Amino acid sequence: MAGMREMALGIALTLRGGTAPNPLPIEFWGYAPADAAQLLKYVIDECADAQIALDEVRTDPVVVHELTGSKTEFGVAHRDVTIAADSRCVGRMDLYRADLGAVR
């Protein structure tokens, strides 16, 4: 079974391939909130290292709570990627890749 870092690398490679849906949903059923939070950090780290631009991540509020240590409604940032608490994302995270052709 792959470890979390290997899973994060695989997710980053999927995003880099350009054929993944946007947002890319990642299910983490069966993971403890602390483990899901660590996986999320690893994914963002791998994407940053591979220069894969993420606009934001929307995830289960319990994961944001694990990252911040508070019951924030707004979320947090990791390596300049906004991580938003979204009650519609129970048991998953949605990774939004930046649209490189969009004008900001």
Side-chain angles (χ1 to χ4, degrees):
M1 178 178 220
M4 275 199 266
R5 286 199 186 269
E6 290 83 11
M7 289 189 302
L9 180 58
I11 292 166
L13 290 173
T14 298
L15 286 167
R16 173 174 267 194
T19 59
N22 196 15
L24 176 65
I26 305 296
E27 302 281 336
F28 50 81
W29 290 105
Y31 282 83
D35 292 336
Q38 190 61 55
L39 176 61
L40 176 52
K41 284 183 181 179
Y42 287 155
V43 168
I44 291 171
D45 290 343
E46 290 295 340
C47 286
D49 292 348
Q51 298 178 350
I52 299 166
L54 295 175
D55 266 342
E56 76 172 330
V57 176
R58 294 192 163 278
T59 191
D60 193 320
V62 300
V63 174
V64 173
H65 171 73
E66 193 65 40
L67 290 168
T68 63
S70 68
K71 293 196 179 204
T72 180
E73 294 291 321
F74 302 105
V76 66
H78 179 68
R79 291 186 76 163
D80 295 326
V81 175
T82 301
I83 303 167
D86 189 334
S87 60
R88 296 170 295 181
C89 291
V90 174
R92 76 168 198 274
M93 63 182 90
D94 290 340
L95 305 170
Y96 290 82
R97 184 169 179 183
D99 181 3
L100 301 178
V103 177
R104 294 182 181 234

